Amino acid sequence: MRDKRMTADEAVGGIKDGMTVGIGGWGSRRKPMALVKALLKTRVEDLTVVTYGGPDVGLLCAAGKVRKLVYGFVSLDSIPYDPWFRRARETGAVEVLELDEGMFQTGLRAAGHRLPFLPIRAGLGSDVLTYAPEIRTVRSPYDDGEELVAMPALKLDVALVHLNRADKHGNAQYLGPDPYFDDLFCLAADRRYVSCERVVETFEGPPQTLLLNRMMVDGVVEAPGGAGFTSCVPDYGRDEALQREYAAAATDLEKWPEFYERLLG
Amino acid sequence: MSDITRAEVCVTACADLFAGAGETLASPMGLIPSLGAKLARLTTEPGLLLSDGEAFLLTPESTVEGWLPYRKVFDVVAHGRRHVVMGANQVDRFGNQNISAIGDHARPTRQLLGFRGAPGNTINHRTSYWVPRHSPRVLVEAVDVVSGVGYDRATGPFHDVHRVVTNLAVLDFATPDHSMRIVSVHPGVSVDEVRKQTSFPLVATDVGETRLPTDEELELIRTRLDPDAKRDGEVPR
């Protein structure tokens, strides 16, 4: 079986200008921050970033790498709004496709199922459809005749996710309370990279926690602390102090260069 | 009982949102609605399901009775057995709600969270709103971005915007055209004050007074649910 271990730089090395990159986790929870930081160090730009957004969005906006954002929300959880995301939006620096969270999941599922769309009620009547006229509705062919949103597949060139454990072949395990949507990101993508706290030979814990299998993964990066400063329970909680520093530096741009340099190490 | 605080009145008003809910997932956002949902579960609505806001369903004793990661929350949303109490940066007279952005969505003057789950919530199941500072900037004639769907844009079989609870009053949409109506003002608040703090004309016939918490409810709020009185931080005395 293939040994898929690689460095974070190798994992993001295949990402080219203009690609669509899906980022796993949720808000400020189990984000693949080590992979995001590796991406920040590249020259890549014009990315479309697809994510349940947290500081990954802020950092990529800060580095000017984003042409378009696809998200249901962007939040740091304990701090409601990410300052860099706000700035990017309020200065018109990025194009957006802002979705309902459930539409977002449905779009990932459609991509993973190789379907052009999946029907969903969410979005009807709201301004999601006003600002995304490319999203159409579809009418049920059955007697109910109900009109539903035809959520288009959110196809990804690359998925970046972080889990607690993985083996060198790409089987990977979450040990916290929530898998988030990392399996769906991998199924929706052409190339899939998982970073993990620890590469293991054998897994402990119930098999139901093995979220990814090796069909779903192309590269494994061992990155202890690789979700920080977001949470990666049970290995560690969110580094609230560092997140507050991030938000403060992102708000006061005089502080930003020093913080950014330190964060990227 | 003159020492009952406004926050405590708001908590019981939020508890009353769940009257008759039965075995439904209560999803309160914010402290006061969370206290209200827990209070309802401990008193009149023992069937309510409560999540810890992350991935578990918890009993009042904080033991885990179920697993509800985000992906399964979306299943519950679509299934419909849920009553969410969301916050709102803006709410208008027909119950449209905005948590996405202030100004033009293409280039907002103030970016907020995004649509989050508001479109899916409002089209799928009962939705209420909690507004801790009732003001003309929140209760607006028309929201800038429709995140939560109001009655004038409602579609489909499941739309059900129930009530808006604020620090001043309880409001609903039980009027012929589904425009907002004052159900009750909190003790010490006048209808005029509510009207003054609202940007659109409110229907105000048969306005009642929001009920006070019972002794049992007060005891639960003060000694069990919120002994540190964090509620006073969200709604000042």
Side-chain angles (χ1 to χ4, degrees):
Chain A
M1 283 193 293
R2 271 202 299 154
D3 183 344
K4 297 175 184 170
R5 284 175 295 178
M6 58 179 64
T7 65
D9 293 333
E10 287 167 343
V12 302
I15 299 177
K16 304 289 179 227
D17 290 359
M19 276 190 172
T20 297
V21 179
I23 302 177
W26 169 277
S28 189
R29 302 175 200 194
R30 222 180 64 230
K31 283 285 170 180
M33 296 295 273
L35 296 175
V36 169
K37 287 178 199 172
L39 184 55
L40 291 171
K41 290 176 185 169
T42 67
R43 293 166 162 275
V44 168
E45 53 187 23
D46 285 333
L47 297 176
T48 293
V49 173
V50 179
T51 180
Y52 287 105
D56 50 334
V57 168
L59 285 164
L60 288 163
C61 286
K65 300 217 169 289
V66 185
R67 184 182 63 80
K68 182 175 179 183
L69 282 170
V70 181
Y71 58 90
F73 64 88
V74 178
S75 174
L76 302 175
D77 295 346
S78 51
I79 299 170
Y81 305 123
D82 180 285
W84 267 115
F85 168 62
R86 294 191 83 143
R87 186 175 294 113
R89 287 283 286 131
E90 291 166 15
T91 58
V94 291
E95 190 186 324
V96 299
L97 172 58
E98 185 174 302
L99 299 166
D100 165 86
E101 291 170 28
M103 291 174 75
F104 187 107
Q105 180 200 35
T106 298
L108 289 182
R109 281 199 196 283
H113 291 181
R114 304 182 297 176
L115 290 168
F117 71 91
L118 279 170
I120 184 171
R121 271 197 196 88
L124 295 172
S126 78
D127 272 341
V128 173
L129 302 186
T130 311
Y131 303 123
E134 70 271 28
I135 299 181
R136 313 279 177 80
T137 60
V138 62
R139 195 166 291 282
S140 164
Y142 300 105
D143 289 346
D144 56 272
E146 193 175 346
E147 189 183 27
L148 299 160
V149 171
M151 179 60 208
L154 291 173
K155 286 190 272 187
L156 310 173
D157 293 308
V158 177
L160 305 177
V161 300
H162 183 83
L163 277 85
N164 299 87
R165 305 285 178 267
D167 67 17
K168 63 186 174 188
H169 308 299
N171 300 300
Q173 179 182 39
Y174 74 101
L175 295 173
D178 198 320
Y180 308 121
F181 302 88
D182 292 352
D183 50 343
L184 302 186
F185 277 96
C186 289
L187 289 169
D190 291 335
R191 275 181 283 177
R192 301 75 47 93
Y193 300 96
V194 56
S195 59
C196 63
E197 292 298 312
R198 196 145 50 82
V199 172
V200 294
E201 290 288 322
T202 53
F203 292 98
E204 290 171 21
Q208 297 94 310
T209 58
L210 291 161
L211 187 66
L212 308 181
N213 60 58
R214 55 197 166 79
M215 286 186 285
M216 301 158 70
V217 173
D218 299 290
V220 176
V221 177
E222 186 169 47
F229 50 88
T230 72
S231 65
C232 187
V233 286
D235 292 310
Y236 45 88
R238 186 179 302 126
D239 186 340
E240 296 287 359
L242 187 55
Q243 175 159 290
R244 276 197 300 273
E245 263 192 83
Y246 159 75
T251 305
D252 176 0
L253 291 184
E254 283 187 20
K255 293 182 188 153
W256 181 253
E258 187 273 328
F259 176 86
Y260 187 68
E261 212 166 292
R262 183 155 47 90
L263 189 73
L264 261 56
Chain B
M1 284 309 210
S2 57
D3 63 335
I4 292 172
T5 65
R6 181 65 58 77
E8 287 161 349
V9 170
C10 291
V11 169
T12 46
C14 285
D16 288 348
L17 292 174
F18 300 104
E23 287 187 320
T24 295
L25 176 65
S27 292
M29 320 274 172
L31 177 68
I32 299 282
S34 296
L35 292 172
K38 287 178 184 164
L39 185 63
R41 166 130 186 194
L42 286 169
T43 55
T44 56
E45 289 298 324
L48 277 186
L49 287 82
L50 293 175
S51 113
D52 64 350
E54 304 234 347
F56 296 120
L57 293 171
L58 297 182
T59 67
E61 292 73 37
S62 294
T63 55
V64 175
E65 67 162 336
W67 184 52
L68 202 72
Y70 287 121
R71 62 180 60 197
K72 287 172 69 102
V73 172
F74 296 143
D75 289 338
V76 179
V77 169
H79 185 64
R81 286 186 81 110
R82 184 169 184 252
H83 182 170
V84 66
V85 186
M86 283 187 282
N89 298 88
Q90 296 176 324
V91 188
D92 70 22
R93 66 190 308 175
F94 294 108
N96 296 288
Q97 167 250 31
N98 176 16
I99 49 170
S100 172
I102 301 295
D104 177 7
H105 189 266
R107 186 170 173 174
T109 52
R110 195 108 172 106
Q111 173 65 41
L112 307 168
L113 281 175
F115 286 111
R116 282 228 73 157
N121 293 342
T122 46
I123 212 72
N124 278 299
H125 56 65
R126 180 164 276 197
T127 300
S128 295
Y129 295 107
W130 160 242
V131 175
R133 278 177 207 83
H134 189 138
S135 83
R137 289 164 57 93
V138 179
L139 282 290
V140 295
E141 179 67 39
V143 300
D144 294 357
V145 177
V146 177
S147 309
V149 179
Y151 281 96
D152 56 337
R153 302 173 54 130
T155 166
F158 307 120
H159 179 267
D160 178 14
V161 178
H162 181 50
R163 281 182 173 180
V164 180
V165 178
T166 77
N167 60 321
L168 301 181
V170 176
L171 308 111
D172 72 5
F173 302 91
T175 52
D177 67 347
H178 293 294
S179 61
M180 202 186 286
R181 172 185 84 136
I182 310 177
V183 176
S184 64
V185 289
H186 301 338
V189 180
S190 69
V191 169
D192 272 358
E193 185 180 354
V194 176
R195 284 192 154 140
K196 219 164 75 184
Q197 295 300 325
T198 305
S199 288
F200 49 86
L202 280 166
V203 177
T205 46
D206 300 326
V207 175
E209 185 169 270
T210 312
R211 75 173 179 94
L212 294 174
T214 64
D215 290 347
E216 183 202 2
E217 286 172 324
L218 271 185
E219 173 82 10
L220 285 167
I221 294 168
R222 292 175 179 177
T223 62
R224 182 155 169 196
L225 296 175
D226 188 29
D228 301 330
K230 292 199 178 107
R231 60 191 177 276
D232 293 336
E234 200 160 302
V235 178
R237 278 164 176 274

